[in-house]
Coordinates of all heavy atoms in Angstrom, one line a residue:
V849 N 64.3 14.2 29.9 CA 64.1 12.7 29.8 C 64.6 12.2 28.5 O 65.3 11.2 28.4 CB 62.6 12.4 30.1 CG1 62.4 10.9 29.9 CG2 62.2 12.8 31.5
Q850 N 64.3 12.9 27.4 CA 64.8 12.4 26.1 C 66.3 12.4 26.0 O 66.9 11.5 25.5 CB 64.2 13.4 25.0 CG 64.5 12.9 23.6 CD 63.8 13.8 22.6 OE1 63.4 14.9 22.9 NE2 63.8 13.4 21.3
Q851 N 67.0 13.4 26.6 CA 68.4 13.4 26.5 C 69.1 12.4 27.4 O 70.3 12.1 27.2 CB 68.9 14.8 27.0 CG 68.6 15.9 25.9 CD 68.9 17.3 26.4 OE1 68.5 17.7 27.5 NE2 69.6 18.1 25.6
F852 N 68.3 11.7 28.3 CA 68.8 10.6 29.1 C 68.2 9.3 28.6 O 68.0 8.4 29.3 CB 68.5 10.8 30.5 CG 69.4 11.8 31.2 CD1 68.9 13.0 31.6 CD2 70.8 11.6 31.4 CE1 69.7 14.0 32.2 CE2 71.6 12.5 31.9 CZ 71.1 13.7 32.4
D853 N 67.9 9.2 27.2 CA 67.4 8.0 26.6 C 66.1 7.6 27.4 O 65.9 6.4 27.6 CB 68.4 6.9 26.6 CG 69.6 7.2 25.7 OD1 69.4 7.9 24.7 OD2 70.7 6.9 26.1
W854 N 65.3 8.6 27.7 CA 63.9 8.4 28.3 C 64.0 7.9 29.7 O 63.1 7.2 30.2 CB 63.0 7.6 27.4 CG 63.0 8.2 26.0 CD1 63.6 7.9 24.9 CD2 62.2 9.4 25.7 NE1 63.3 8.7 23.9 CE2 62.4 9.6 24.3 CE3 61.3 10.2 26.4 CZ2 61.8 10.7 23.6 CZ3 60.7 11.2 25.7 CH2 60.9 11.5 24.3
Q855 N 65.1 8.2 30.4 CA 65.2 7.8 31.8 C 65.0 9.1 32.7 O 65.3 10.2 32.3 CB 66.6 7.3 32.1 CG 66.9 6.0 31.4 CD 66.0 4.9 31.7 OE1 65.7 4.5 32.9 NE2 65.4 4.3 30.7
V856 N 64.4 8.9 33.9 CA 64.0 10.0 34.7 C 65.0 10.3 35.7 O 65.5 9.4 36.4 CB 62.6 9.7 35.4 CG1 62.2 10.9 36.3 CG2 61.6 9.3 34.4
P857 N 65.4 11.6 35.9 CA 66.4 11.9 37.0 C 65.7 11.8 38.3 O 64.5 11.7 38.5 CB 66.8 13.4 36.7 CG 65.6 13.9 36.0 CD 65.0 12.8 35.2
D858 N 66.5 11.9 39.4 CA 66.0 11.9 40.7 C 65.6 13.2 41.2 O 64.5 13.3 41.9 CB 67.1 11.3 41.7 CG 67.5 9.9 41.3 OD1 66.6 9.0 41.4 OD2 68.7 9.7 40.9
W859 N 66.3 14.3 40.9 CA 66.0 15.6 41.3 C 66.1 16.6 40.2 O 67.0 16.5 39.3 CB 67.0 16.1 42.4 CG 67.0 15.3 43.7 CD1 67.7 14.2 44.0 CD2 66.2 15.6 44.8 NE1 67.4 13.8 45.3 CE2 66.5 14.6 45.8 CE3 65.3 16.6 45.2 CZ2 65.9 14.7 47.1 CZ3 64.7 16.7 46.4 CH2 65.0 15.7 47.4
V860 N 65.2 17.6 40.2 CA 65.3 18.8 39.3 C 65.2 20.0 40.1 O 64.2 20.2 40.8 CB 64.3 18.7 38.2 CG1 64.5 19.9 37.2 CG2 64.3 17.4 37.4
L861 N 66.2 20.9 40.0 CA 66.1 22.2 40.8 C 66.0 23.3 39.8 O 66.7 23.4 38.8 CB 67.4 22.4 41.6 CG 67.7 21.5 42.8 CD1 68.3 20.1 42.4 CD2 68.5 22.1 43.8
I862 N 65.1 24.3 40.1 CA 64.8 25.4 39.2 C 64.6 26.6 40.0 O 63.9 26.6 41.1 CB 63.6 25.0 38.3 CG1 63.4 26.1 37.2 CG2 62.3 24.9 39.1 CD1 62.5 25.7 36.1
P863 N 65.1 27.8 39.6 CA 64.8 29.1 40.2 C 63.3 29.4 40.1 O 62.7 29.1 39.1 CB 65.6 30.1 39.5 CG 66.7 29.3 38.7 CD 66.0 28.0 38.4
G864 N 62.8 30.0 41.2 CA 61.3 30.3 41.2 C 61.1 31.8 41.5 O 61.5 32.3 42.5
G865 N 60.3 32.4 40.6 CA 59.9 33.8 40.8 C 58.4 33.9 40.7 O 57.7 33.8 41.7
N866 N 57.9 34.0 39.5 CA 56.5 34.0 39.3 C 55.9 32.6 39.3 O 54.7 32.5 39.3 CB 56.1 34.7 38.0 CG 54.9 35.6 38.1 OD1 54.5 36.0 39.2 ND2 54.4 36.1 36.9
L867 N 56.7 31.6 39.3 CA 56.4 30.2 39.6 C 55.8 29.5 38.4 O 55.4 28.3 38.6 CB 55.6 30.0 40.9 CG 56.3 30.7 42.1 CD1 55.3 30.5 43.3 CD2 57.6 30.0 42.4
G868 N 55.7 30.1 37.3 CA 55.1 29.4 36.1 C 56.1 28.2 35.7 O 55.6 27.2 35.2
N869 N 57.4 28.4 35.9 CA 58.4 27.4 35.5 C 58.2 26.1 36.3 O 58.4 25.0 35.8 CB 59.8 28.0 35.5 CG 60.1 28.7 36.8 OD1 59.3 28.6 37.8 ND2 61.2 29.4 36.9

Side-chain angles (χ1 to χ4, degrees):
V849 175
Q850 185 176 16
Q851 287 171 313
F852 286 111
D853 296 324
W854 304 101
Q855 299 299 307
V856 182
D858 298 298
W859 295 88
V860 182
L861 291 84
I862 188 164
N866 224 13
L867 303 179
N869 48 13

